[in-house]
Amino acid sequence: MYSVMLVDDDYPVLEYLSASIPWKDLRLEVHSTCKNGAVALERAQAAPPDIVITDIGMPQMDGIELIGELKRLKPDIRCVILSCMGDFSYAQQAVRLQVDDYVLKETMRPEQIAALLRKLSDQIAAEKEQSREMARMRSKKEENALLLRQGLLDRMTTDGGRDLAWADGAAEAGIDFEGKVWLPVLIALNRWSELSRRLPDERAVQAAVGQAAAGLACELPGTVLLPHGKREAVLLFPFRRSLTEMKVESVRPSLRALGERLSAESGISAAFLIGTSAAAPAALGRAAEQLLSSGAGRFYLPDEGIFTLAELPDLGEGDLHDVYPEALQRIRDAFLEEDEAQLEAYIGSWLDLVRERHCQPELVKEWTLKMLYDNQTRFLALQHYQSVFSMEVLHRTLGDIATIHELGDWMLQFFKERMPLLGLIYKQSRRSEILRAQQYVSHNIGSKITLEEVADMLHINSSYFSRLFKRETGYNFIQYVTTAKMERAKELLARSNISVEEVATRLGYENKSYFAKLFKKHIGGTPGEYRGE
């Protein structure tokens, strides 16, 4: 539905037009009725109409001046002059302003105005459809060009760059090797989860990168952008073969400017990895393939910046099973205590261990997922916590994390978002003594814990505390402590190489046999069976 503004200093004319035109039948609506051009312009600035019907001679601002201002505000606005002035000079001005029609008040009829409005609304609809069709055609053309360049990169890196069939069609994308050396640079888009909240879809991200790279191509003619998936692309910089020195340093200012442009215009965090220059198709294919396969090493680089292949760390083959249990316990305790500073410190310590060992990123993500899952299941068991926790969603989110810096920020945010819920759980408990007792057990899981010592800590009678705990939780206290210790034992057995005897000692059991008996009673198998020995 299009809107029509009516402007005339003669109120009966405004009233007549408002009442006599079948607006709904024409699928039009009255935008506003204004007594002069100044009022009309003010209202149009807030929300421009599609069509304006205006008188010429009005105080403060006449119709000719109003139309000029409206055309500047909305160039495609349709304008009709409705006037009692038949002076040819006014008609000339109207023509210069590309007014759509000029109607004399003395001859106007409702059906005449209605027919004119129907014609104008049909023109607007036709132009909008034409614009949509042109936009679709441009979008299709851009999509085809994108697919062509992406397909070229896929073929270029097939079979480690040894398949040279791609070279025949490379010239169409602007890649030729006549007297040239090409320097490939990988663009890696980081913090994808944040980016996807700012831009509507993958195509919008690709378009933003393409527009920014187009500005770079104007500065450095011959630069070629080859997209790769939703969060990577390869930039190819051409150099004359005689200019073999300083190629890397010469592109750094341009890459820095490109990174700043992506951040400022689209909120994109991009890291650039400079590859090896190549003077032949096979060498360029290998260089591009090397960049695309660098994802694991890039995990330890900052989210933004310019790097070379030499700066990628050598990844270790080590595991994290020996440091996992202690890290889990510390992070869990800090969370239980709602201590953000400690939580941040312990997450930082965990990631420092990861950095120190340069573990494979997928392994790091697996251990992190395990940590979040273990934390959540403990709350389910000990806090009767109704969870909306989804392993599938977490796994997908972790899969999109590209750097260890992003992983640390995301882990901290994960726990911080749940702290208010933890506080709510505490507030919902009828007895704060029970919560304090549960926290005491969690913090002293490695010691021998008795009902009497906890009751003393709470300054209440031990018999009363025993009855209170049973009534509030459904467990007797000793059963609760034993269950908590057995859950901790499962973690230690599954995620470390320490002996069963050492596990028993860490949980406050002096007798290994007694510990094994309790474990079998609660878990259904011996510690050795649980470990798979």
Side-chain angles (χ1 to χ4, degrees):
M1 183 174 284
Y2 303 125
S3 61
V4 182
M5 173 184 278
L6 304 175
V7 190
D8 201 306
D9 60 342
D10 189 351
Y11 183 76
V13 173
L14 295 176
E15 193 174 48
Y16 172 74
L17 290 173
S18 298
S20 62
I21 304 300
W23 300 104
K24 288 186 178 179
D25 293 345
L26 295 171
R27 304 192 68 169
L28 297 171
E29 62 181 2
V30 176
H31 174 283
S32 55
T33 56
C34 308
K35 62 183 180 180
N36 60 55
V39 172
L41 181 59
E42 182 179 352
R43 294 186 181 178
Q45 286 171 335
D50 298 297
I51 302 170
V52 61
I53 299 178
T54 181
D55 189 13
I56 291 182
M58 296 178 293
Q60 298 188 45
M61 180 182 288
D62 65 28
I64 296 295
E65 186 180 355
L66 170 63
I67 290 172
E69 293 294 331
L70 291 177
K71 287 282 187 178
R72 279 187 281 274
L73 186 65
K74 185 177 182 181
D76 62 346
I77 192 171
R78 294 319 199 264
C79 302
V80 176
I81 286 180
L82 183 63
S83 181
C84 58
M85 301 179 183
D87 192 307
F88 182 67
S89 64
Y90 284 110
Q92 285 182 311
Q93 294 180 66
V95 169
R96 284 197 297 271
L97 288 170
Q98 296 182 318
V99 169
D100 294 272
D101 217 320
Y102 192 104
V103 178
L104 293 175
K105 287 183 180 180
E106 62 186 33
T107 62
M108 75 173 180
R109 302 182 310 279
E111 56 271 22
Q112 175 192 14
I113 302 299
L116 177 57
L117 289 171
R118 184 178 290 108
K119 181 185 74 171
L120 294 177
S121 61
D122 287 347
Q123 287 177 359
I124 295 172
E127 287 188 8
K128 286 184 180 293
E129 178 57 34
Q130 185 179 24
S131 296
R132 283 192 291 268
E133 182 60 28
M134 291 178 65
R136 282 194 292 268
M137 291 174 64
R138 283 195 303 270
S139 176
K140 189 65 176 177
K141 183 178 179 181
E142 291 169 0
E143 185 178 347
N144 289 340
L146 181 70
L147 291 173
L148 177 66
R149 294 195 302 274
Q150 185 163 323
L152 177 62
L153 182 60
D154 290 341
R155 294 193 302 277
M156 184 187 299
T157 55
T158 297
D159 195 23
R162 287 185 289 273
D163 184 351
L164 300 181
W166 65 272
D168 295 335
E172 187 177 347
I175 305 172
D176 70 86
F177 294 89
E178 186 68 33
K180 287 182 181 177
V181 173
W182 291 91
L183 179 66
V185 176
L186 180 74
I187 305 176
L189 309 185
N190 295 317
R191 297 191 177 266
W192 182 259
S193 60
E194 297 175 16
L195 181 58
S196 60
R197 288 194 292 270
R198 286 192 293 269
L199 295 174
D201 52 35
E202 182 180 326
R203 288 183 61 187
V205 175
Q206 291 175 336
V209 174
Q211 289 170 4
L216 178 63
C218 292
E219 300 165 10
L220 298 174
T223 303
V224 177
L225 177 70
L226 302 177
H228 183 259
K230 66 182 183 181
R231 53 191 302 171
E232 292 179 332
V234 172
L235 268 173
L236 298 178
F237 291 91
F239 292 87
R240 293 199 303 274
R241 290 196 184 188
S242 58
L243 299 177
T244 57
E245 300 297 327
M246 300 299 291
K247 289 190 292 293
V248 170
E249 293 308 315
S250 67
V251 300
R252 283 184 182 274
S254 298
L255 293 176
R256 193 174 298 112
L258 176 57
E260 291 171 355
R261 192 177 302 144
L262 287 170
S263 178
E265 295 176 359
S266 308
I268 293 176
S269 296
F272 301 96
L273 184 63
I274 301 175
T276 306
S277 59
L284 184 57
R286 288 193 299 272
E289 196 277 334
Q290 186 180 26
L291 288 175
L292 294 176
S293 62
S294 66
R298 283 187 276 116
F299 183 72
Y300 292 96
L301 296 179
D303 295 331
E304 297 180 327
I306 303 169
F307 310 96
T308 63
L309 290 169
E311 295 175 79
L312 294 177
D314 294 326
L315 299 184
E317 297 299 328
D319 208 337
L320 293 163
H321 66 273
D322 56 328
V323 295
Y324 169 79
E326 183 178 357
L328 171 65
Q329 187 66 34
R330 286 182 172 183
I331 290 172
R332 179 189 296 153
D333 287 349
F335 179 59
L336 276 170
E337 294 170 6
E338 300 179 86
D339 190 334
E340 282 191 24
Q342 282 283 50
L343 181 64
E344 186 171 1
Y346 289 145
I347 289 175
S349 296
W350 161 252
L351 296 179
D352 284 343
L353 289 168
V354 170
R355 288 188 184 92
E356 183 182 318
R357 301 185 182 195
H358 281 161
C359 298
Q360 294 286 342
E362 290 308 312
L363 179 66
V364 176
K365 292 179 183 181
E366 287 176 15
W367 281 105
T368 301
L369 185 63
K370 168 66 178 169
M371 183 178 290
L372 299 177
Y373 177 74
D374 283 351
N375 187 75
Q376 200 81 355
T377 52
R378 176 59 63 89
F379 292 143
L380 286 167
L382 303 185
Q383 302 289 352
H384 306 289
Y385 176 18
Q386 297 300 311
S387 174
V388 291
F389 183 80
S390 169
M391 286 289 288
E392 182 181 349
V393 171
L394 276 182
H395 194 275
R396 187 165 59 247
T397 302
L398 278 167
D400 275 336
I401 290 175
T403 70
I404 194 169
H405 308 278
E406 182 183 356
L407 178 63
D409 291 345
W410 178 81
M411 282 185 69
L412 183 61
Q413 187 64 26
F414 176 89
F415 284 106
K416 286 172 67 174
E417 285 176 352
R418 285 154 179 76
M419 276 188 178
L421 181 57
L422 184 64
L424 181 62
I425 292 168
Y426 288 166
K427 290 177 184 177
Q428 287 176 341
S429 174
R430 289 175 289 172
R431 301 304 298 252
S432 63
E433 295 94 333
I434 302 304
L435 295 173
R436 290 172 61 197
Q438 290 174 325
Q439 289 177 328
Y440 184 88
V441 172
S442 179
H443 298 334
N444 296 277
I445 200 75
S447 305
K448 185 178 179 179
I449 303 172
T450 67
L451 184 145
E452 287 74 20
E453 72 177 276
V454 177
D456 288 344
M457 182 271 295
L458 296 171
H459 306 293
I460 58 178
N461 178 272
S462 59
S463 297
Y464 171 71
F465 171 65
S466 178
R467 293 193 302 273
L468 178 66
F469 195 92
K470 175 73 173 179
R471 186 176 71 239
E472 292 288 325
T473 67
Y475 295 91
N476 76 47
F477 182 70
I478 299 304
Q479 287 176 333
Y480 178 87
V481 172
T482 303
T483 299
K485 286 178 176 284
M486 294 305 106
E487 288 298 317
R488 177 67 169 155
K490 285 165 59 178
E491 293 171 5
L492 292 170
L493 289 166
R495 302 301 173 185
S496 70
N497 293 326
I498 62 176
S499 65
V500 174
E501 186 173 1
E502 175 64 18
V503 172
T505 300
R506 288 194 183 190
L507 294 173
Y509 294 103
E510 298 176 359
N511 189 312
K512 173 187 172 183
S513 298
Y514 178 63
F515 163 72
K517 181 179 178 181
L518 282 177
F519 189 90
K520 184 173 183 180
K521 179 180 178 181
H522 281 79
I523 308 304
T526 67
E529 290 170 344
Y530 182 80
R531 182 177 264 172
E533 296 174 347

